[in-house]
Amino acid sequence: MKLETIEVIFYIEGLGSDKKVLERAMEETAERLKAEKSIRVHDVRVEEIIEDPDNDTLPYSGMIEARISGPLNAVFNTAVRYAPAAVEVLSPPKIEVDAKGLMELLGGLSYAMGQLIDKFGPLAAYPSLEEFPEPQIGYSREEIEEFIVEDRKILYRFVVEVFGDDEETVTRNFAKALAYEGCTINKLVPKVQSEDENGRKYILIAAELLSTFENLIQLTAKYSPVAIAILEPEVVDITAPELQGALADVAGFVYELTMRPLKKRILEKKNTEFKLNP
């Protein structure tokens, strides 16, 4: 990967029920960020804690504004570790990443998100797909070239693990889910790996897809594929808005996963209070 330096501002939000505890946590986060070795930290500012009297569960909030720079991989890794509430890309206006470098980025992201998904639960959740039309699968070489050149899409293969009772139904629903995510599907090949005593199957699905850069990042974060390969183009150009959107997507996914235990405790507390009140 071309080690072009990316400069961004991360806005890292903290929430809490105790002002002093939150202040200490925000300061510790700022110090941990300053000690990062893979990125350069230009400026870190910790804002004053704000109280919201109308919020009876997490009334205190704080914000850290951090201006950092580093290689693309390092910036994405930092977004995964700190889950900023917002991201602003300052420079450059566009970067170029070769296919090998992009695969390295996606492999690292898949591994990191896979660990979080194993701990907190899946990200890929959809409304009922029964009424969603079955997508087209398979395109001509001319159509694929047009997607790549005109729509700036990336042609890639990835392999994901899925589970279900019926291979055909699982594959059909997975195709619909990919189309729902905005993918163009060229190939989809399922292969049953094993089956438990209840008939539930462990299936690997190999997919050849076309997506924009941001869409590719979203899918990698949501599905944590076990294998991924970039086919075309050899060099991918990424604009600052596309990079900003992708970083914000990843940070949002991490925040959603890591906040689940807290949200569960808050919900349990509310349910208990409701039951205790006459």
Side-chain angles (χ1 to χ4, degrees), residues 172-242:
R172 183 170 60 249
N173 286 338
F174 184 62
K176 289 182 178 182
L178 290 173
Y180 184 87
E181 292 281 2
C183 293
T184 301
I185 308 170
N186 193 42
K187 297 176 184 176
L188 209 60
V189 181
K191 188 173 182 180
V192 177
Q193 302 297 303
S194 61
E195 183 175 337
D196 64 20
E197 62 274 10
N198 297 317
R200 187 171 174 79
K201 298 177 177 64
Y202 165 51
I203 305 167
L204 288 179
I205 297 183
E208 186 172 289
L209 310 170
L210 290 126
S211 299
T212 62
F213 171 74
E214 189 173 345
N215 193 207
L216 173 55
I217 292 290
Q218 291 172 343
L219 283 175
T220 302
K222 282 186 176 182
Y223 282 103
S224 181
V226 296
I228 190 160
I230 305 298
L231 304 179
E232 294 181 62
E234 293 182 3
V235 176
V236 177
D237 65 282
I238 306 163
T239 66
E242 290 167 343

Side-chain angles (χ1 to χ4, degrees), residues 45-46 153 179 183 235:
R45 187 167 76 248
V46 182
K153 289 191 174 185
C183 293
V235 176

Side-chain angles (χ1 to χ4, degrees), residues 1 31 34 43 48 57 67 98 129 213 245 264 276:
M1 177 183 290
E31 291 304 315
K34 291 175 185 177
D43 182 55
E48 293 291 325
T57 52
R67 183 167 64 93
D98 61 32
L129 295 171
F213 171 74
K264 183 180 178 182
L276 290 175

